[in-house]
PDB file of all heavy atoms in Angstrom:
ATOM      1  N   MET E  37     145.509 -42.218-152.813  1.00 96.00           N
ATOM      2  CA  MET E  37     145.372 -40.945-151.979  1.00 96.00           C
ATOM      3  C   MET E  37     143.930 -40.787-151.584  1.00 96.00           C
ATOM      4  O   MET E  37     142.954 -41.188-152.220  1.00 96.00           O
ATOM      5  CB  MET E  37     145.742 -39.725-152.862  1.00 96.00           C
ATOM      6  CG  MET E  37     147.079 -39.857-153.554  1.00 96.00           C
ATOM      7  SD  MET E  37     148.499 -39.997-152.401  1.00 96.00           S
ATOM      8  CE  MET E  37     148.793 -38.303-151.917  1.00 96.00           C
ATOM      9  N   ILE E  38     143.627 -40.061-150.490  1.00 97.00           N
ATOM     10  CA  ILE E  38     142.292 -39.761-150.049  1.00 97.00           C
ATOM     11  C   ILE E  38     141.773 -38.619-150.926  1.00 97.00           C
ATOM     12  O   ILE E  38     142.298 -37.559-150.991  1.00 97.00           O
ATOM     13  CB  ILE E  38     142.269 -39.311-148.586  1.00 97.00           C
ATOM     14  CG1 ILE E  38     142.829 -40.509-147.598  1.00 97.00           C
ATOM     15  CG2 ILE E  38     140.904 -38.932-148.208  1.00 97.00           C
ATOM     16  CD1 ILE E  38     143.037 -40.048-146.320  1.00 97.00           C
ATOM     17  N   ALA E  39     140.664 -38.997-151.598  1.00 97.00           N
ATOM     18  CA  ALA E  39     139.991 -38.002-152.486  1.00 97.00           C
ATOM     19  C   ALA E  39     138.803 -37.350-151.902  1.00 97.00           C
ATOM     20  O   ALA E  39     138.470 -36.152-152.244  1.00 97.00           O
ATOM     21  CB  ALA E  39     139.616 -38.777-153.795  1.00 97.00           C
ATOM     22  N   TRP E  40     138.130 -37.984-150.990  1.00 97.00           N
ATOM     23  CA  TRP E  40     136.951 -37.476-150.426  1.00 97.00           C
ATOM     24  C   TRP E  40     136.473 -38.110-149.138  1.00 97.00           C
ATOM     25  O   TRP E  40     136.861 -39.376-149.015  1.00 97.00           O
ATOM     26  CB  TRP E  40     135.678 -37.737-151.411  1.00 97.00           C
ATOM     27  CG  TRP E  40     134.367 -37.256-151.054  1.00 97.00           C
ATOM     28  CD1 TRP E  40     133.846 -36.046-151.293  1.00 97.00           C
ATOM     29  CD2 TRP E  40     133.383 -38.021-150.353  1.00 97.00           C
ATOM     30  NE1 TRP E  40     132.566 -35.971-150.836  1.00 97.00           N
ATOM     31  CE2 TRP E  40     132.184 -37.154-150.180  1.00 97.00           C
ATOM     32  CE3 TRP E  40     133.296 -39.367-149.870  1.00 97.00           C
ATOM     33  CZ2 TRP E  40     131.086 -37.616-149.474  1.00 97.00           C
ATOM     34  CZ3 TRP E  40     132.164 -39.749-149.142  1.00 97.00           C
ATOM     35  CH2 TRP E  40     131.044 -38.851-148.989  1.00 97.00           C
ATOM     36  N   ILE E  41     136.063 -37.322-148.158  1.00 97.00           N
ATOM     37  CA  ILE E  41     135.550 -37.876-146.896  1.00 97.00           C
ATOM     38  C   ILE E  41     134.175 -37.164-146.681  1.00 97.00           C
ATOM     39  O   ILE E  41     134.028 -35.940-146.787  1.00 97.00           O
ATOM     40  CB  ILE E  41     136.411 -37.562-145.773  1.00 97.00           C
ATOM     41  CG1 ILE E  41     137.838 -38.402-145.938  1.00 97.00           C
ATOM     42  CG2 ILE E  41     135.787 -37.838-144.414  1.00 97.00           C
ATOM     43  CD1 ILE E  41     138.858 -37.967-144.828  1.00 97.00           C
ATOM     44  N   GLY E  42     133.115 -37.936-146.281  1.00 95.00           N
ATOM     45  CA  GLY E  42     131.870 -37.427-146.061  1.00 95.00           C
ATOM     46  C   GLY E  42     130.899 -38.420-145.500  1.00 95.00           C
ATOM     47  O   GLY E  42     131.206 -39.530-145.102  1.00 95.00           O
ATOM     48  N   ALA E  43     129.661 -37.965-145.453  1.00 94.00           N
ATOM     49  CA  ALA E  43     128.460 -38.797-144.971  1.00 94.00           C
ATOM     50  C   ALA E  43     128.304 -39.974-145.875  1.00 94.00           C
ATOM     51  O   ALA E  43     128.318 -39.802-147.085  1.00 94.00           O
ATOM     52  CB  ALA E  43     127.315 -37.991-144.775  1.00 94.00           C
ATOM     53  N   ALA E  44     128.034 -41.158-145.284  1.00 93.00           N
ATOM     54  CA  ALA E  44     127.870 -42.320-146.188  1.00 93.00           C
ATOM     55  C   ALA E  44     126.616 -42.116-147.086  1.00 93.00           C
ATOM     56  O   ALA E  44     126.730 -42.685-148.246  1.00 93.00           O
ATOM     57  CB  ALA E  44     127.551 -43.567-145.298  1.00 93.00           C
ATOM     58  N   ALA E  45     125.666 -41.387-146.723  1.00 92.00           N
ATOM     59  CA  ALA E  45     124.390 -41.153-147.560  1.00 92.00           C
ATOM     60  C   ALA E  45     124.861 -40.382-148.857  1.00 92.00           C
ATOM     61  O   ALA E  45     124.035 -40.365-149.818  1.00 92.00           O
ATOM     62  CB  ALA E  45     123.378 -40.453-146.731  1.00 92.00           C
ATOM     63  N   ALA E  46     125.940 -39.536-148.884  1.00 93.00           N
ATOM     64  CA  ALA E  46     126.256 -38.774-149.906  1.00 93.00           C
ATOM     65  C   ALA E  46     127.449 -39.268-150.723  1.00 93.00           C
ATOM     66  O   ALA E  46     128.226 -38.543-151.508  1.00 93.00           O
ATOM     67  CB  ALA E  46     126.621 -37.388-149.457  1.00 93.00           C
ATOM     68  N   THR E  47     127.825 -40.593-150.555  1.00 92.00           N
ATOM     69  CA  THR E  47     129.018 -41.205-151.167  1.00 92.00           C
ATOM     70  C   THR E  47     128.966 -41.043-152.702  1.00 92.00           C
ATOM     71  O   THR E  47     127.926 -41.474-153.356  1.00 92.00           O
ATOM     72  CB  THR E  47     128.973 -42.694-150.890  1.00 92.00           C
ATOM     73  OG1 THR E  47     128.932 -42.908-149.449  1.00 92.00           O
ATOM     74  CG2 THR E  47     130.226 -43.263-151.309  1.00 92.00           C
ATOM     75  N   PRO E  48     130.014 -40.462-153.309  1.00 93.00           N
ATOM     76  CA  PRO E  48     130.136 -40.469-154.811  1.00 93.00           C
ATOM     77  C   PRO E  48     130.355 -41.803-155.423  1.00 93.00           C
ATOM     78  O   PRO E  48     130.673 -42.700-154.651  1.00 93.00           O
ATOM     79  CB  PRO E  48     131.220 -39.493-154.975  1.00 93.00           C
ATOM     80  CG  PRO E  48     132.084 -39.565-153.778  1.00 93.00           C
ATOM     81  CD  PRO E  48     131.169 -39.868-152.615  1.00 93.00           C
ATOM     82  N   ALA E  49     130.254 -41.885-156.724  1.00 92.00           N
ATOM     83  CA  ALA E  49     130.525 -43.163-157.359  1.00 92.00           C
ATOM     84  C   ALA E  49     132.060 -43.515-157.359  1.00 92.00           C
ATOM     85  O   ALA E  49     132.916 -42.513-157.225  1.00 92.00           O
ATOM     86  CB  ALA E  49     130.120 -43.047-158.841  1.00 92.00           C
ATOM     87  N   ALA E  50     132.411 -44.762-157.488  1.00 93.00           N
ATOM     88  CA  ALA E  50     133.800 -45.209-157.500  1.00 93.00           C
ATOM     89  C   ALA E  50     133.899 -46.513-158.283  1.00 93.00           C
ATOM     90  O   ALA E  50     132.859 -47.173-158.470  1.00 93.00           O
ATOM     91  CB  ALA E  50     134.312 -45.369-156.106  1.00 93.00           C
TER      92      ALA E  50
END
Side-chain angles (χ1 to χ4, degrees):
M37 311 298 279
I38 297 169
W40 179 89
I41 290 173
T47 305

